[in-house]
Amino acid sequence: MSSREAAIARAQADFDSGAFRERMEALIAIPSTSQDPAHAPDCRRYLEEGITPWLARMGFESSIHPNPDPACGPILIASRIEDPSRPTALLYGHGDTVLGLEEQWSPGLKPWTITEKDGLWYGRGTADNKGQHIINLTALEAVLAERGGKLGANVKLVLEMSEELGSKGLRPFIEAHRDYLAADALIASDGPRVEPGLPTIAAGSRGSFMFELVVKLRNGGVHSGHWGGLTRDPAILLSHAIASIADQNGKILVRDWLPGETVPANIRAALEGCPVGGGEGAATIDEGWGEPGLTPAEKIYGWASFIVLAMLSGKPEAPVNAVAPWARAACQIRYTGDSDPARFEAALRAHLDANGFDQVAIERAGIRMPASRTAPDNPWVLWTKASMEKSLGTRVQVTPNASGGLPGDVFVDLLGTPLVWVPHSYNGCKQHGPDEHVIPSLMREGLSAFAGIWWDLGEAGTPPRG
């Protein structure tokens, strides 16, 4: 007789036998980077050859559609409907990756091949996001096998191939297919846990607002001996402008960027006792950096951060004896769903002018990925938490949003679905850079958690519908 325990054991056996890794190796081997137009055929091949046949074996009806943005990759949608009166979960994932950066990987490691080294699995997309949606689909397959081909609920899927381009085209696509994709909740996976050993649910994601600060004073450089100390130096002006935005300890001084005077009480309550840790290879958590009085968890899950992504003046690789004509910095605000990004540029302009930096221009300002947030005590969040704790026998941490960006806003705004992100990676996984990797034990644990989720979705006790 089938059982929840047997379904989880079946998913674990798939991992332990090596079958899971073989499937993952085949999909990692497709160099589906959306950031190189030469690999556009690989992005489509990932869906056509790697995903569609697998979905068909599980009883999904699927179709691949062009992206509304002609510069972006295709989008796959699929559905598996058993009983419209039963709950419907919507899965999301992305099969595109960032550039392979082959020449930057450590000796013996390659982006499009899974290599095991020191107990880790290396390869581009292992963490972001191929490995994560492979876990969720493998777990679903195990539950279907255990239940004789029946789930007792419905599943839909969106798999895009342009997330690493900012999910361009996803919003109009979802809007055009909103009836087809209607669901009770989005339950999907991306990003890292709060720390490697603690299973996590994120009920949204922080947004990303980008802008450039530019000081352009003349058409060309002028001799540093003749003009240094007499004419304005754009790099010095830009440095002081940036210093006015955040102090030497990283505290944001443009206070209109923030969600309020402090972290809201309900968010603070959700983050009480939440650890933050990246594991080996992650950056340090520097005491005293950022907003005073906040815990590390509150800083990255409940607050905004200001980051200077790049700065340039002159030619650092070949400096000359000249006062540079211009200086430029690419900047970013990571913000939460309770902030108002429509105010960001105006607040920055007012701040710069008030501090004497009227010569600093703001260019290319705008949202790259909007923030999203579901209440941490939403019934679907709590239901998933209970399911995971039952499967894993350990505490599950809920955060009001992930620290990074995800296109959850599209599903909240257009489909009205609560967001339940269950990450299978960790902060030290080196996604987007060379040597991207995953911890195999976290993947096996993710399989167990999702097998339990899929099983419970077909049982009584799911949150009320509508």
Side-chain angles (χ1 to χ4, degrees):
M1 182 177 179
S2 62
S3 69
R4 188 181 196 275
E5 293 73 19
I8 293 173
R10 188 184 287 267
Q12 293 171 340
D14 186 270
F15 187 92
D16 297 340
S17 70
F20 176 86
R21 175 167 167 169
E22 289 178 7
R23 181 183 297 116
M24 191 166 157
E25 285 175 334
L27 293 174
I28 294 296
I30 300 174
S32 53
T33 170
S34 59
Q35 296 182 343
D36 182 351
H39 285 281
D42 293 311
C43 288
R44 187 168 189 90
R45 183 161 67 94
Y46 184 85
L47 299 179
E48 290 181 339
E49 299 179 11
I51 299 298
T52 299
W54 187 14
L55 294 176
R57 290 194 298 271
M58 287 192 280
F60 280 88
E61 295 181 357
S62 63
S63 55
I64 299 172
H65 302 261
N67 195 303
D69 187 326
C72 295
I75 301 173
L76 177 148
I77 55 175
S79 66
R80 188 186 187 283
I81 306 299
E82 289 185 10
D83 181 353
S85 69
R86 293 291 299 152
T88 299
L90 176 63
L91 270 177
Y92 162 85
H94 65 92
D96 67 315
T97 72
V98 296
L99 294 171
L101 306 176
E102 289 90 340
E103 70 284 354
Q104 299 180 31
W105 287 58
S106 298
L109 303 180
K110 299 178 181 180
W112 311 117
T113 302
I114 291 184
T115 304
E116 186 167 358
K117 180 181 178 182
D118 299 327
L120 304 174
W121 292 357
Y122 289 84
R124 175 64 79 219
T126 51
D128 187 23
N129 170 263
K130 293 181 181 181
Q132 303 221 30
H133 62 255
I134 292 170
I135 286 172
N136 299 348
L137 290 172
T138 300
L140 176 60
E141 190 172 38
V143 173
L144 289 172
E146 182 63 23
R147 273 199 165 131
K150 295 293 184 180
L151 180 64
N154 311 302
V155 183
K156 297 179 180 180
L157 170 66
V158 175
L159 193 59
E160 66 162 319
M161 300 303 293
S162 298
E163 194 271 351
E164 301 298 359
L165 297 176
S167 291
K168 294 176 182 177
L170 183 62
R171 178 173 283 269
F173 180 86
I174 298 298
E175 185 166 20
H177 295 84
R178 62 196 306 169
D179 292 338
Y180 180 90
L181 295 171
D184 294 287
L186 182 138
I187 305 176
S189 298
D190 205 341
R193 294 176 169 190
V194 295
E195 64 177 10
L198 183 56
T200 301
I201 294 172
S205 60
R206 286 205 295 182
S208 174
F209 185 94
M210 310 286 285
F211 61 91
E212 294 183 5
L213 296 177
V214 181
V215 180
K216 186 174 182 180
L217 302 180
R218 56 191 72 88
N219 291 326
V222 294
H223 194 284
S224 59
H226 302 328
W227 291 100
L230 295 177
T231 194
R232 291 179 298 176
D233 187 319
I236 292 175
L237 289 172
L238 181 59
S239 297
H240 280 275
I242 291 172
S244 81
I245 295 172
D247 70 13
Q248 69 270 29
N249 293 312
K251 176 184 175 181
I252 293 175
L253 302 178
V254 186
R255 304 304 282 180
D256 283 344
W257 287 353
L258 305 175
E261 291 299 318
T262 189
V263 175
N266 65 324
I267 302 303
R268 176 159 280 173
L271 293 172
E272 185 175 358
C274 176
V276 175
E280 185 178 354
T284 59
I285 299 174
D286 297 322
E287 186 176 354
W289 184 261
E291 185 71 17
L294 301 187
T295 67
E298 290 167 349
K299 290 177 183 179
I300 65 168
Y301 300 123
W303 204 245
S305 57
F306 168 66
I307 305 97
V308 179
L309 301 177
M311 294 177 63
L312 186 65
S313 185
K315 289 190 174 182
E317 72 280 7
V320 297
N321 291 322
V323 180
W326 56 265
R328 178 182 296 268
C331 303
Q332 180 186 67
I333 307 168
R334 292 281 184 171
Y335 68 96
T336 54
D338 46 6
S339 298
D340 182 6
R343 302 167 52 191
F344 287 174
E345 183 177 3
L348 177 59
R349 181 72 271 161
H351 173 87
L352 292 172
D353 292 347
N355 285 275
F357 297 111
D358 54 292
Q359 69 273 52
V360 178
I362 305 169
E363 297 182 359
R364 300 165 61 88
I367 297 171
R368 184 179 185 274
M369 188 165 284
S372 59
R373 178 177 284 174
T374 293
D377 60 354
N378 178 275
W380 277 101
V381 174
L382 298 180
W383 177 87
T384 307
K385 179 177 186 288
S387 174
M388 291 175 62
E389 289 181 339
K390 181 178 180 180
S391 299
L392 303 178
T394 189
R395 179 173 83 89
V396 172
Q397 176 67 55
V398 174
T399 65
N401 42 255
S403 52
L406 294 167
D409 62 291
V410 174
F411 302 102
V412 172
D413 294 348
L414 299 178
L415 303 181
T417 55
L419 302 176
V420 186
W421 296 102
V422 183
H424 303 310
S425 187
Y426 79 114
N427 281 328
C429 70
K430 299 186 178 179
Q431 68 183 77
H432 289 194
D435 298 355
E436 179 182 345
H437 63 271
V438 289
I439 301 174
S441 61
L442 266 62
M443 307 197 86
R444 189 179 189 274
E445 196 168 60
L447 270 173
S448 301
F450 257 82
I453 290 169
W454 292 130
W455 183 275
D456 293 341
L457 193 69
E459 298 285 287
T462 54
R465 307 191 67 197

